[in-house]
Amino acid sequence: MSKPTATLVDSCILIDVLANDARWADWSLDQLARLGSQGALVINPIILAEVSPRFERAADLETALADLPLVREALPWDAAFLAGQAFKVYRQAQGAKTSPMPDFYIGAHALVGGMQLLTRDAARYRSYFPNLPLVAP
């Protein structure tokens, strides 16, 4: 498998940066700089939705993200199916949620798009998307 050139950026990374998290902001910024020099940094509507509650207005969120070199992509239809399949495995393992979680859509988007995923929440992605290349602490 060839090395991905684009990176899907998980919402936890953006939250680290936007909140200037004392523990993780520097690591997340370093990864964004490193990976951004290698290829596109991508977000999707699910990621934007997870970040948006920290803002009162959409314009404030747009202003906060303006300094980051993020490419916006729609969620591919094939990713929706793959997210549902991951959710089915989750439910079979007695998972309590009743609808697919955002992480399933995010992982599926990265996998279908041939991207790697920048995240700090590697455990779930490794469980449900074992072939997904991850960049994680």
Side-chain angles (χ1 to χ4, degrees):
M1 183 169 151
S2 63
K3 183 175 170 77
T5 57
T7 301
L8 191 64
V9 180
D10 199 0
S11 54
C12 61
I13 301 300
L14 297 177
I15 292 166
D16 290 346
V17 171
L18 297 174
N20 196 22
D21 182 89
R23 180 171 178 196
W24 290 108
D26 288 342
W27 183 86
S28 293
L29 280 167
D30 288 348
Q31 297 307 309
L32 288 170
R34 181 177 69 80
L35 297 170
S37 71
Q38 298 172 6
L41 298 173
V42 179
I43 61 171
N44 64 32
I46 303 283
I47 294 164
L48 194 66
E50 287 192 307
V51 174
S52 70
R54 288 149 181 84
F55 297 87
E56 292 299 317
R57 300 176 322 134
D60 297 336
L61 173 58
E62 293 301 327
T63 298
L65 294 176
D67 291 335
L68 298 173
L70 301 171
V71 176
R72 296 172 187 219
E73 284 190 7
L75 187 68
W77 284 98
D78 289 346
F81 179 80
L82 189 55
Q85 295 302 301
F87 178 68
K88 180 170 74 173
V89 172
Y90 164 83
R91 289 291 291 166
Q92 289 169 343
Q94 309 304 311
K97 303 286 184 183
T98 57
S99 62
M101 295 173 287
D103 289 350
F104 293 148
Y105 292 104
I106 293 167
H109 182 183
L111 196 58
V112 166
M115 294 181 270
Q116 62 190 358
L117 178 65
L118 173 60
T119 186
R120 284 191 299 96
D121 185 20
R124 178 170 288 140
Y125 294 110
R126 284 190 179 116
S127 295
Y128 295 100
F129 302 99
N131 296 324
L132 176 61
L134 298 178
V135 177

